[in-house]
């Protein structure tokens, strides 16, 4: 048990591990890894934004970060379990981010397959969200996602049941949403899938911002090529290997995420 894990959770990591199911502990470990990797990629926004994962039972409970923790401080035992209303089900003095409960709860409540939700505020993604045309087919990253992206206009800080419904209505059957003037929201049927979608989205946004800032005449692929790439990407299935690579590297670099 690290002192850091103890401080964040308010009680020993070993107590958390012994008080939850093996399945929940595994999800805690993987979600902590996701926080650490998001930090390593520079996708975090200090203590803000939130990543979550549904616990196996009851299915309307999910794990969120304690508000105030930097993403590289998150451990498996420091994550807080909440219900859809934001009631804390983990014994801790740490608060959760109410915006996180609203955004993530909206998806877990209405999408039974949602296992993991990622919400980010990266500069590149916020910049693209603020561009009227949204994500353009300027890169392979983008073309693998076009047709899978919803857009949600900014209406203020999400905090009410009405906001939650509006968010879900705009998402429709998509797994990726650009939150206009705000950031991104991605959900996956597994943590590996959510991570993979997030990786491509962040790469696509970074390329778009750089390409538009370059000032040169842009080469836009034909619609036929865009459509062809979309069909190809539907068969893409290496995301489990990509996620395993994250876990493998963290096991070497900062194994305390598992505490
Ligand atoms: Zn946000």
């Amino acid at each position: 048990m690290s002192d850091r894990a103890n401080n964040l959770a308010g009680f020993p990591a070993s107590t958390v591990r012994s008080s939850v199911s093996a399945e929940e502990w595994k999800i805690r470990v993987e979600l902590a890894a996701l926080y650490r990797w998001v930090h390593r990629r520079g996708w975090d926004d200090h203590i803000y934004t939130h990543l979550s994962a549904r616990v196996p039972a009851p299915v309307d409970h999910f794990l969120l970060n304690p508000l105030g923790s930097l993403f590289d401080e998150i451990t498996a035992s420091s994550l807080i379990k909440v219900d859809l209303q934001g009631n804390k089900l983990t014994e801790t003095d740490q608060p959760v981010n109410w915006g996180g409960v609203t955004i993530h709860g909206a998806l877990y409540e209405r999408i039974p397959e949602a296992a993991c939700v990622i919400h980010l505020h990266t500069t590149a993604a916020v910049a693209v969200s603020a561009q009227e045309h949204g994500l353009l087919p300027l890169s392979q990253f983008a073309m693998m996602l076009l047709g899978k992206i919803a857009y949600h206009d900014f209406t203020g800080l999400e905090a009410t049941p009405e906001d939650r419904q509006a968010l879900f209505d705009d998402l429709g059957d998509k797994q990726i949403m650009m939150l206009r003037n705000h950031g991104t929201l991605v959900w996956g049927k597994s943590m590996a899938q959510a991570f993979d979608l997030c990786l491509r989205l962040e790469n696509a946004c970074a390329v778009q911002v750089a390409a538009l800032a370059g000032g040169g005449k842009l080469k836009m692929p034909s619609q036929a090529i865009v459509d062809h790439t979309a069909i190809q990407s539907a068969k893409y299935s290496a995301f489990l290997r990509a996620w395993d690579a994250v876990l493998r590297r963290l096991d070497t670099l900062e194994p305390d995420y598992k505490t």
Side-chain angles (χ1 to χ4, degrees), residues 145-205:
L145 300 179
L146 290 176
K148 299 178 181 174
I149 302 176
Y151 291 83
H152 177 66
D153 283 347
F154 187 72
T155 57
L157 306 179
E158 286 85 0
T160 68
E162 292 74 24
D163 290 329
R164 182 181 277 202
Q165 185 61 47
L167 190 82
F168 181 74
D169 289 346
D170 282 344
L171 180 64
D173 62 355
K174 305 292 195 297
Q175 287 184 257
I176 301 169
M177 187 148 71
M178 302 294 298
L179 304 172
R180 293 287 195 184
N181 315 100
H182 177 181
T184 57
L185 187 62
V186 171
W187 71 266
K189 295 176 183 175
S190 65
M191 205 166 297
Q193 188 196 44
F195 167 72
D196 195 70
L197 292 172
C198 181
L199 177 64
R200 285 169 205 296
L201 182 60
E202 290 299 332
N203 286 340
C205 290

Side-chain angles (χ1 to χ4, degrees), residues 128 133-151 174 176 178 197 200-201 204 208 220-223 225-231 233-234:
V128 171
H133 47 58
L135 192 68
L136 299 170
L138 289 171
S139 67
Q140 175 178 280
F141 303 123
M143 284 184 275
M144 292 181 76
L145 300 179
L146 290 176
K148 299 178 181 174
I149 302 176
Y151 291 83
K174 305 292 195 297
I176 301 169
M178 302 294 298
L197 292 172
R200 285 169 205 296
L201 182 60
Q208 179 164 320
M220 200 75 75
S222 68
Q223 187 60 48
I225 291 297
V226 172
D227 293 343
H228 175 60
T229 307
I231 292 169
S233 68

